Amino acid sequence: MTSRTRTLARSAAVLLALTALAALTACTSGTAATKDTSVAASSTTLRAAAGKFGLKVGVAVNTDRLDDPAYAQLTGDEFSTVTPENAMKWGLVEPTEGTYDWTAADKLVAFAQAHGQLVRGHNLVWYQQLPTWLTDAAPKMSAAQLSAILKAHITAEVTHFKGEIWQWDVVNEAFDDNGELRNDIWLEKLGPGYIADAFRWAHEADPAAKLFLNDYGIEDAGIKASAEYAFVQDLKSQGVPIDGVGFETHLDATYAAPDLETQLAKFAGLGLDVAVTEADVRDQLPVSKADVATQSDIFAQTMQACVDVPQCISYTVWDLDDKDSWIPQTFSGEGAATLYDDSLKPKPQFTAVQKVLVKAEKSAPQRSK
Ligand code: G3I
């Protein structure tokens, strides 16, 4: 190659890179238009390390904050899957009966596609964040009316996102802490069969999406985990199209880490995928250095549990940073539950999780595609 052709080739390469950058910027316009220089991806990103053995690492996203370039940059660089923290919940997508507003959810799906990420859809049936038109009218409805409304909602939402969602949390937090099915409007009016129906309707609308039952408090053996296991076993034996169980994994550093690996493996033994769907580790504020070490250790243990179970296909943290975390509003005096601090700097908890993934790169069981 002459020096002139070398220069031409170099110019062409630069042009190609600039074009790709422009295309990416165009794709993400309306999300993050510019890169932020105050935050940087880690030297080994979580998504790259986990990707070596096919594990996806995810984050719950506040879609409003995607307009903050620093927030968008970390979300895109470090994670390979995203979950809308609120944007796909019923009350937000259908505030008025029959009128859907997909704006925020579509924005997240576009962001994910522009960043080569998969999406966990969250959620289709829950007892919280329901629209008031529904909660006001439900007590007076017949079972047939409520069932028709539930089917219409699931069908509309899953159809809207058909082909774009990797995993759907079809039914969220269906069990109470005492191991009974939660006595919410769904159970009260429709009986326990609403859960199997929800899975069947979601499957009809998008047969390729992986359908999950998602819950908290099943990370350790106990009355709730046993009840949920028996219930899922029954769904499987009836041929209900359930693909996985999500372990929310909202933990408190005051208590010892749960034996998550045993529970993940137990549910995976039913022929299902499993996933850590909402990991965070809270503590009393302000946190001491020793508290941070404990939180880091608990985060590392939960990531290790997922790494060690080949059917654990994704590990998602609930909220990117402490500023956005749901914890302080819900648990008075507690917080510091995420991997990043208020100014988006990675905390020791981040490094602890990263270390587990880097160590696992060569030895972890490969996830099937
Ligand atoms: O949208 C309204 C806004 O209009 C209003 O001005 C503002 C005033 O407080 O409230 C906004 O709604 C809030 C909503 O988040 C969106 O920000 C609700 O008050 C608030 O309760 C809601 O909290 C969400 C919570 O689910 C609802 O239960 C949290 O952000 C979200 O992190 C949390 O996520 C759940 C998972 O979906 C299921 N598992 C547990 C997890 C933590 O609770």
Side-chain angles (χ1 to χ4, degrees):
M1 197 189 265
T2 66
S3 75
R4 186 176 139 68
T5 49
R6 241 196 320 269
T7 309
L8 278 175
R10 219 178 284 133
S11 308
V14 169
L15 194 67
L16 208 65
L18 285 174
T19 312
L21 188 65
L24 185 66
T25 307
C27 277
T28 57
S29 66
T31 56
T34 49
K35 281 242 164 190
D36 188 276
T37 48
S38 66
V39 295
S42 55
S43 52
T44 307
T45 63
L46 303 182
R47 69 184 285 176
K52 296 262 168 56
F53 51 96
L55 173 67
K56 303 288 179 198
V57 183
V59 62
V61 175
N62 174 346
T63 46
D64 292 340
R65 285 190 66 202
L66 284 178
D67 297 329
D68 167 0
Y71 182 94
Q73 187 178 337
L74 285 178
T75 301
D77 286 349
E78 290 290 344
F79 300 94
S80 41
T81 169
V82 287
T83 306
E85 183 185 11
N86 289 300
M88 287 187 188
K89 292 172 180 171
W90 196 335
L92 283 93
V93 298
E94 196 185 0
T96 310
E97 187 172 6
T99 308
Y100 290 92
D101 179 0
W102 307 113
T103 317
D106 283 348
K107 173 174 161 175
L108 181 62
V109 171
F111 179 91
Q113 288 171 354
H115 292 82
Q117 298 169 314
L118 297 176
V119 182
R120 292 199 83 256
H122 176 83
N123 54 55
L124 297 170
V125 191
W126 196 20
Y127 70 101
Q128 288 189 31
Q129 285 174 296
L130 292 168
T132 47
W133 63 261
L134 175 60
T135 49
D136 288 349
K140 287 158 258 147
M141 281 182 204
S142 68
Q145 280 171 321
L146 187 62
S147 178
I149 284 178
L150 183 60
K151 182 176 184 184
H153 166 70
I154 291 174
T155 305
E157 181 147 11
V158 177
T159 303
H160 178 81
F161 294 109
K162 188 174 181 186
E164 296 177 326
I165 302 293
W166 180 38
Q167 304 173 17
W168 265 117
D169 286 333
V170 176
V171 182
N172 201 45
E173 300 171 0
F175 278 78
D176 231 322
D177 295 354
N178 61 8
E180 302 286 330
L181 278 172
R182 188 181 296 282
N183 196 19
D184 54 19
I185 59 164
W186 308 118
L187 185 72
E188 217 173 275
K189 282 271 162 164
L190 308 178
Y194 83 87
I195 297 178
D197 283 343
F199 277 90
R200 291 193 183 104
W201 295 329
H203 182 70
E204 273 167 26
D206 187 355
K210 284 180 183 281
L211 305 183
F212 275 66
L213 185 69
N214 190 49
D215 216 333
Y216 68 89
I218 55 170
E219 294 81 13
D220 237 337
I223 192 167
K224 185 169 179 178
S226 302
E228 207 140 332
Y229 178 85
F231 188 82
V232 173
Q233 193 172 33
D234 187 46
L235 289 181
K236 287 283 289 178
S237 70
Q238 288 177 53
V240 173
I242 177 170
D243 300 293
V245 172
F247 293 68
E248 292 189 8
T249 320
H250 293 294
L251 302 176
D252 182 336
T254 316
Y255 306 103
D259 184 6
L260 180 59
E261 182 172 340
T262 300
Q263 291 306 309
L264 291 173
K266 191 172 171 199
F267 279 80
L270 291 172
L272 295 167
D273 289 324
V274 288
V276 174
T277 54
E278 305 185 11
D280 54 20
V281 184
R282 63 184 180 272
D283 212 339
Q284 286 293 329
L285 297 173
V287 285
S288 66
K289 246 189 167 175
D291 294 334
V292 172
T294 305
Q295 290 175 303
S296 303
D297 189 45
I298 295 175
F299 259 119
Q301 285 187 52
T302 59
M303 178 58 91
Q304 188 67 55
C306 180
V307 163
D308 289 342
V309 175
Q311 297 87 349
C312 186
I313 57 174
S314 60
Y315 180 107
T316 294
V317 290
W318 202 252
D319 297 327
L320 181 68
D321 59 332
D322 290 342
K323 193 160 110 184
D324 222 24
S325 169
W326 66 289
I327 296 292
Q329 292 165 11
T330 309
F331 298 92
S332 170
E334 297 186 51
T338 75
L339 302 182
Y340 290 88
D341 70 15
D342 284 1
S343 46
L344 292 176
K345 294 284 172 275
K347 303 194 299 183
Q349 289 88 325
F350 175 91
T351 315
V353 164
Q354 184 190 43
K355 259 191 197 154
V356 171
L357 292 174
V358 169
K359 198 164 155 232
E361 275 179 11
K362 293 199 179 75
S363 56
Q366 186 74 35
R367 272 65 189 158
S368 49
K369 295 279 174 238

